[in-house]
Amino acid sequence: MPHEKNFPNLIKLKYIHDGVDGCLTVMENHREIPFSIKRVYYINKLKNKHAVRGMHAHKKLKQAIFCLQGSFSLSIDNGLEERRIKMHKSHVGVYLPPKVWHVMRRFSEDCVIMVVASDFYRERDYIRDYNEFKKYLKKHP
Ligand code: T46
């Protein structure tokens, strides 16, 4: 598939159970995370069950997304195929390469999402219109 390289992969993080004292989970640049992290952001207080987030693709930005608590549904679309992933394990994330349309929905109320990104926030890196996304893929396969 020509866009297979744009298909997100699961990232399984190493975690260390300290028995009753909790669990420690680790991610490192160019190890579990396939890029250098420049920015981290998180999303919480998802009180509206019908909230829909994302609905965009990035031109260059690489990201990895994790559900640290609760659950949500992640849809990923590389222009040829769409997949849905239930995000509910804090040690299992998804690598979001550039040029992947992604949508987050069906958040549990206690959901906490953390995203690590390869670059600073730049609105011009976003493609927020699906038809524009399809055109961009044709121009930049
Ligand atoms: C993504 C998904 C997974 C900033 O000012 N700085 C930032 O670093 C970010 C991420 C956002 N913002 C502003 C831009 C908007 O005014 O925060 C507002 C909400 O952002 P947005 O509507 O893009 O949020 P989501 O949840 O739809 O998307 C976010 C990321 O923006 C996006 O890169 O891939 O999470």
Side-chain angles (χ1 to χ4, degrees):
M1 244 194 334
H3 292 297
E4 188 61 30
K5 65 180 162 61
N6 294 341
F7 236 118
N9 300 313
L10 285 188
I11 297 176
K12 291 192 180 153
L13 299 176
K14 188 170 84 176
Y15 61 97
I16 300 143
H17 264 302
D18 285 327
V20 290
D21 296 329
C23 184
L24 183 152
T25 309
V26 190
M27 63 187 85
E28 294 179 317
N29 287 345
H30 297 289
R31 291 189 170 168
E32 300 83 4
I33 304 301
F35 52 82
S36 288
I37 299 169
K38 256 194 183 169
R39 179 167 52 111
V40 178
Y41 58 91
Y42 50 87
I43 300 167
N44 59 354
K45 301 186 182 172
L46 287 146
K47 293 217 161 73
N48 174 12
K49 273 191 176 174
H50 306 291
V52 180
R53 305 196 65 113
M55 299 213 295
H56 60 250
H58 286 283
K59 295 175 185 166
K60 299 246 165 73
L61 190 73
K62 297 172 185 169
Q63 302 193 102
I65 185 165
F66 295 89
C67 184
L68 300 190
Q69 183 176 286
S71 63
F72 71 99
S73 167
L74 175 67
S75 304
I76 43 188
D77 172 355
N78 66 357
L80 295 176
E81 195 186 334
E82 190 191 345
R83 291 182 197 169
R84 277 187 187 205
I85 300 173
K86 181 165 185 189
M87 303 288 293
H88 62 114
K89 291 182 180 167
S90 57
H91 68 286
V92 181
V94 172
Y95 170 51
L96 292 173
K99 297 186 278 183
V100 167
W101 187 264
H102 49 280
V103 182
M104 296 113 79
R105 49 168 86 84
R106 298 168 69 94
F107 305 98
S108 65
E109 210 177 305
D110 60 345
C111 182
V112 180
I113 298 168
M114 184 186 73
V115 181
V116 297
S118 65
D119 209 346
F120 301 125
Y121 171 73
R122 286 193 181 92
E123 185 56 38
R124 65 178 180 274
D125 187 70
Y126 285 69
I127 309 170
R128 293 194 184 268
D129 177 276
Y130 191 78
N131 291 328
E132 287 303 315
F133 165 63
K134 296 286 271 188
K135 280 189 207 160
Y136 188 84
L137 282 183
K138 274 196 183 151
K139 254 181 144 177
H140 305 87

